[in-house]
Amino acid sequence: MAYIECKVWHFQGDDDIDLKSRHRAMKAGCRFYTVKALIDTSSRENFIRRSLVDKLEMEYTEYKEKNRLECLDLSFRYKGKDRLVSTNGDDVFNDFVVIEKPKADLVLGLPWLWLREAKIDMEKQGLTIYGDFVPFCEETDSSESKETNDFNHAGLKQ
């Protein structure tokens, strides 16, 4: 199994905020959680830990008898900067099934990987997402996420 580290961002008003505004919010100190995501090429679905969804205070819906989160903004470190990989809530391949105890905070399955044109490079020990290389984590524990920024949505200390 291979893991990558990423940040899950909580943007206020996800439906109304454009990419430029998201980048401004990131620079201003918008709240995020650093998580380990399992790359699972055998999974036909993407998964997220329920406790992480609760921390993010995001709403999920029931679809086909499963709780699903339809919108999730992730970023990966590339050349020292966070590169945002936003989702389009209209696409079922972007959905994350909300479950109590997945193998990691996030499980990125084939649908998520396919949409981002991900390529696994075992020689370099990582994967490429939209042409940007993301290295695998050396640690493989599945401990829960941690909030790594203590700012509110407006970028002000709480």
Side-chain angles (χ1 to χ4, degrees), residues 93-157:
F93 293 136
N94 282 318
D95 288 357
F96 282 79
V97 178
V98 180
I99 61 175
E100 289 296 326
K101 295 195 178 203
K103 294 179 182 179
D105 293 314
L106 293 176
V107 177
L108 305 176
L110 282 177
W112 194 94
L113 296 166
W114 176 75
L115 280 177
R116 280 137 192 103
E117 303 167 7
K119 292 180 177 65
I120 296 173
D121 188 332
M122 292 309 295
E123 186 177 325
K124 292 182 180 178
Q125 294 293 302
L127 74 133
T128 304
I129 300 172
Y130 293 136
D132 294 340
F133 182 75
V134 180
F136 294 143
C137 293
E138 291 186 24
E139 295 179 34
T140 58
D141 71 5
S142 61
S143 59
E144 289 195 39
S145 61
K146 61 182 184 232
E147 185 173 9
T148 52
N149 197 334
D150 156 6
F151 291 83
N152 65 16
H153 301 298
L156 305 172
K157 280 266 191 192

Side-chain angles (χ1 to χ4, degrees), residues 26-43:
M26 288 169 67
K27 287 180 183 176
C30 182
R31 184 173 57 174
F32 63 87
Y33 289 85
T34 301
V35 301
K36 288 190 177 125
L38 171 66
I39 305 301
D40 188 351
T41 58
S42 67
S43 180

Side-chain angles (χ1 to χ4, degrees), residues 8 10 12 14 25 27 34 43 51 70-72 74 77 80 82 84 87 91 97-98 110 113 125 127 137 149:
V8 181
H10 181 84
Q12 190 171 9
D14 273 337
K27 287 180 183 176
T34 301
S43 180
S51 62
E70 295 178 2
C71 182
L72 196 60
L74 304 177
R77 297 295 283 174
D82 284 313
L84 190 63
T87 61
D91 199 325
V97 178
V98 180
L110 282 177
L113 296 166
Q125 294 293 302
L127 74 133
C137 293
N149 197 334

